[in-house]
Amino acid sequence: MDIFHWVAVVLSTMLGLGIARILSGFAIAFKSRRQVALDWLPLVVAAIVLGEILQFWWALAELAPRASWTLADFTFLVGLAMVLFLAAALIVPTDTPITEPAAAFEQDGRWALLLLAAYHLLAILANAWFWGIALTSPFNAMIGAAALFSAIAALARRRTVQAGAVLCYCAIAVASVLELSPLRY
């Protein structure tokens, strides 16, 4: 087994745990729909986190031919996976029953949006580090816009601003995945 496969096992474990958290949260939301009015905003953000995890996992395939790996390379990728896992854990709490989804989002879920902003800023650096993409490329500008709208949504106090920023972020996230991810390897 080459070194990439060892790296991929660690990252896949972390990313898989993030997906499990999100899917568990969706199941909890579905089961509690009769007792609690669902809040669409955290569900949309959870779907975005799920998409970001899947896109990151998919992009890792491009690193398979990399000839050598350093501890810094490994640590950087683990850091990206950790940020995504934490976003998944905060946006869909699976350890406590949610009686007021909007209040839970305001208390803990908004931190997932800040983690997504941090993830995108780190992704810009990762694009330069691993893929040789210029920091000022249009590709990285799109990712920077995603980070900006995610941060706006996290820091906004008015629900309408949060919702608008999340919808803009969602559109950018979907467009960037469609534009930047190869359809097959």
Side-chain angles (χ1 to χ4, degrees):
M1 184 182 277
D2 65 359
I3 188 68
F4 174 74
H5 289 95
W6 290 106
V7 170
V9 165
V10 172
L11 297 173
S12 295
T13 301
M14 295 172 72
L15 296 170
L17 288 171
I19 289 172
R21 289 291 299 235
I22 291 172
L23 294 178
S24 294
F26 284 153
I28 289 168
F30 181 78
K31 288 179 179 180
S32 66
R33 73 190 184 283
R34 289 185 191 93
Q35 293 85 16
V36 178
L38 295 178
D39 183 11
W40 69 271
L41 194 57
L43 295 174
V44 168
V45 175
I48 292 170
V49 173
L50 178 62
E52 295 293 350
I53 290 172
L54 292 173
Q55 196 283 329
F56 178 57
W57 211 341
W58 185 245
L60 290 175
E62 294 177 13
L63 298 177
R66 190 177 176 98
S68 67
W69 287 85
T70 65
L71 180 59
D73 296 337
F74 177 70
T75 303
F76 194 167
L77 291 175
V78 166
L80 284 166
M82 285 173 45
V83 170
L84 286 173
F85 173 82
L86 289 172
L90 288 173
I91 195 62
V92 285
T94 57
D95 51 347
T96 57
I98 300 298
T99 56
E100 294 185 31
F105 178 75
E106 287 303 314
Q107 184 176 10
D108 295 323
R110 67 177 35 239
W111 292 101
L113 287 162
L114 276 180
L115 286 166
L116 282 173
Y119 168 76
H120 287 297
L121 294 175
L122 290 171
I124 291 170
L125 297 175
N127 288 337
W129 187 327
F130 294 105
W131 287 276
I133 298 171
L135 292 174
T136 57
S137 73
F139 175 62
N140 279 332
M142 186 181 287
I143 294 171
L148 176 66
F149 280 106
S150 182
I152 290 169
L155 300 173
R157 294 288 172 215
R158 291 180 45 214
R159 178 68 178 218
T160 55
V161 174
Q162 271 184 334
V166 164
L167 292 175
C168 288
Y169 172 66
C170 187
I172 293 168
V174 169
S176 67
V177 166
L178 293 175
E179 176 68 25
L180 309 171
S181 296
L183 296 176
R184 69 178 76 120
Y185 287 106

